[in-house]
């Protein structure tokens, strides 16, 4: 008997692997004018667009009826003034789709030499990501490059793909091309994918697919708790984290890194708690930024809630609606962090 979501997992792994290879190679060749600034002032690169084109092309072939909630859309790229960038995205996407077959890849996935897509097919693939999300049905959610600012500075970033059924995440992948495979070998081999299936546990596999390690969040040794937190002060309230450190007598420095790689690090015990409080600008967190990470934490024996202790709701559309601030940690520490967060919020008259 095959396990539930076995085919979805296989296809998602293929898609994330190819997108990781693409983004790594883009980074090495990226030139300054290949980055645009979106309406919300965040950057987007040819890497984000071409990775979304590749993942959506692969998903569209294997699961033609599945909608996709993807971060990017092709509207800007369809404008005549961006034709040079568009050509670059098409070339990069086709380079990734036509690379020789690798582990777990079969010819029926529409990959390998000779499988180029037309420009129109690739623009349409990007726009397959326009689903609005919702309470019922099955849909994928994709962040083709999470942590674009980390990507641009050569730091951590992640290709994140999750499958959501009736508002619940059932499969999640976080591909981290720049993350060391072993936490105690920071200068060793890099490139891992965190893979999790609901009810089936989580594993870390290498980008090349030659090594798989099962994951569980280890208990925190008393006195060694530390935070995983954003690099970007505009993305999370880092001063709030300092206040929680005081309340919990945390003395270890936080581990700062971009992207959902933080969830992967929490899952393998590289940090005790991922705390992400909003900066008060009204920004609403998106489902593609937390879907894979939330299932990863739960399947590794941890707990993830918002700052009021509520579970995250992935059935409200493209954003996480009223969920406000995130606390992800092992079972042994989540309760004390939540209590400290509530105390700190009360101190500043917030709930
Ligand atoms: N104002 C904001 N507040 C919170 N998160 C944001 C904001 N702007 C962008 N993001 C998203 O925050 C995430 C990165 O967080 P971190 O700094 O912890 O790595 C990314 O998903 C990024 O989107 P993107 O996918 O475009 O990079
Ligand atoms: Mg973005
Ligand atoms: Mg993101
Ligand atoms: Mg992104």
């Amino acid at each position: 008997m095959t396990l539930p979501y076995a085919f979805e997992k296989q296809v998602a792994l293929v898609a994330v692997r190819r997108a990781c290879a693409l983004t790594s190679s883009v980074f090495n060749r990226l030139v300054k004018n290949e980055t645009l600034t979106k309406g919300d002032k965040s950057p987007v690169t040819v890497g984000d667009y071409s990775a979304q084109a590749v993942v959506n092309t692969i998903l569209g072939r294997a699961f033609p009826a599945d909608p996709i909630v993807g971060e990017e859309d092709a509207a800007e790229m369809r404008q005549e003034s961006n034709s040079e960038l568009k050509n670059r995205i098409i070339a990069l996407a086709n380079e990734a789709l036509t690379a020789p077959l690798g582990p777990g890849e079969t010819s029926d996935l529409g990959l390998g030499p000779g499988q180029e897509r037309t420009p129109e097919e690739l623009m349409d693939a990007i726009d397959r990501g326009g689903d609005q999300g919702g309470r019922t049905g099955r849909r994928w959610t994709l962040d083709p490059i999470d942590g674009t600012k980390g990507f641009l500075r050569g730091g951590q970033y992640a290709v994140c793909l999750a499958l959501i059924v009736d508002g619940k995440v059932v499969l999640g992948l976080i591909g981290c091309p720049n993350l060391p495979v072993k936490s105690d070998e920071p200068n060793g081999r890099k490139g891992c994918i965190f893979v999790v299936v609901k009810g089936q546990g989580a594993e870390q596999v290498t980008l090349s697919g030659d090594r798989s390690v099962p994951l569980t969040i280890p208990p925190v040794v008393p006195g060694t708790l530390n935070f995983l937190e954003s690099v970007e002060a505009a993305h999370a309230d880092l001063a709030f984290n300092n206040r929680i450190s005081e309340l919990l007598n945390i003395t270890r420095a936080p581990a700062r890194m971009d992207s959902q790689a933080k969830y992967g690090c929490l899952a393998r015990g590289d940090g005790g708690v991922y705390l992400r409080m909003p900066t008060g600008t009204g920004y609403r967190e998106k489902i593609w930024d937390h879907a894979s990470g939330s299932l990863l934490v739960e399947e590794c024996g941890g707990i993830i809630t918002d700052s009021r202790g509520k579970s995250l709701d992935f059935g409200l559309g493209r954003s996480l609606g009223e969920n406000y601030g995130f606390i992800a940690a092992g079972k042994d520490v989540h309760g004390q962090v939540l209590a400290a967060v509530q105390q700190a919020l009360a101190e500043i008259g917030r709930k």
Side-chain angles (χ1 to χ4, degrees):
M1 201 189 78
T2 47
L3 288 167
Y5 303 115
F7 183 52
E8 285 83 353
K9 176 177 162 180
Q10 182 202 337
V11 172
L13 253 172
V14 167
V16 169
R17 275 215 178 94
R18 288 208 175 223
C20 284
L22 181 158
T23 52
S24 295
S25 97
V26 170
F27 177 75
N28 293 321
R29 294 180 280 165
L30 196 69
V31 294
K32 225 182 158 66
N33 60 8
E34 290 181 339
T35 303
L36 299 180
T37 302
K38 294 203 281 190
D40 64 359
K41 305 273 192 297
S42 65
V44 59
T45 71
V46 291
D48 303 58
Y49 287 118
S50 47
Q52 179 153 326
V54 166
V55 173
N56 286 4
T57 296
I58 295 171
L59 292 179
R61 164 96 172 207
F63 309 107
D66 285 356
I68 304 169
V69 181
E71 179 182 358
E72 313 301 345
D73 68 72
E76 290 240 36
M77 288 308 114
R78 291 183 194 273
Q79 286 170 18
E80 196 47 45
S81 56
N82 281 326
S83 62
E84 224 172 283
L85 281 183
K86 177 178 164 181
N87 290 340
R88 179 93 168 99
I89 289 160
I90 288 156
L92 287 166
N94 272 329
E95 197 177 302
L97 290 165
T98 57
L101 297 186
E105 298 186 342
T106 49
S107 55
D108 54 345
L109 293 174
L111 299 169
Q115 296 282 0
E116 280 87 1
R117 303 321 200 265
T118 65
E120 214 33 53
E121 283 173 325
L122 291 170
M123 291 300 111
D124 288 349
I126 294 174
D127 282 335
R128 277 184 71 94
D131 181 61
Q132 294 303 304
R135 176 68 52 211
T136 56
R138 155 183 160 125
R139 53 177 51 81
W140 297 85
T141 188
L142 169 69
D143 192 339
I145 293 185
D146 175 55
T148 306
K149 288 183 178 165
F151 171 71
L152 286 168
R153 64 169 104 77
Q156 292 306 321
Y157 70 95
V159 176
C160 302
L161 179 63
L163 179 63
I164 299 175
V165 177
D166 295 337
K168 303 268 186 258
V169 187
V170 297
L171 166 69
L173 292 92
I174 302 176
C176 304
N178 288 344
L179 193 68
V181 171
K182 295 183 179 166
S183 5
D184 55 356
E185 291 177 16
N187 299 318
R189 188 176 164 195
K190 293 193 169 71
C192 18
I193 309 180
F194 299 90
V195 188
V196 57
V197 186
K198 196 173 177 70
Q200 297 174 31
E203 63 190 313
Q204 177 189 304
V205 299
T206 52
L207 270 184
S208 51
D210 61 336
R211 193 165 165 266
S212 159
V213 185
L215 297 170
T216 37
I217 301 177
V220 172
V221 176
T224 67
L225 185 63
N226 72 330
F227 285 117
L228 284 153
E229 60 187 30
S230 303
V231 176
E232 294 290 330
H235 292 174
D237 186 346
L238 301 177
F240 191 93
N241 285 20
N242 286 341
R243 177 66 188 131
I244 304 303
S245 289
E246 281 171 15
L247 289 172
L248 294 175
N249 296 316
I250 294 175
T251 49
R252 260 184 84 190
R256 287 194 172 154
M257 70 181 74
D258 299 283
S259 87
Q260 289 180 59
K262 289 188 276 298
Y263 281 116
C265 287
L266 177 69
R268 68 184 193 185
D270 292 353
V273 51
Y274 174 14
L275 179 60
R276 181 183 188 84
M277 293 298 285
T279 52
T281 54
Y283 178 83
R284 292 215 164 184
E285 295 277 352
K286 307 298 187 298
I287 61 170
W288 54 79
D289 283 323
H290 300 281
S292 299
S294 68
L295 183 61
L296 183 65
V297 171
E298 287 173 349
E299 282 291 321
C300 289
I303 299 175
I304 177 163
T305 66
D306 69 8
S307 57
R308 290 168 290 195
K310 285 205 228 153
S311 48
L312 308 195
D313 189 344
F314 292 94
L316 286 171
R318 288 172 69 88
S319 86
L320 278 155
E322 293 307 309
N323 285 128
Y324 176 89
F326 302 107
I327 306 166
K331 279 199 171 68
D332 52 337
V333 290
H334 184 276
Q336 49 180 296
V337 178
L338 176 59
V341 166
Q342 307 248 284
Q343 184 183 332
L345 285 173
E347 284 171 2
I348 53 173
R350 272 164 49 190
K351 272 199 281 185

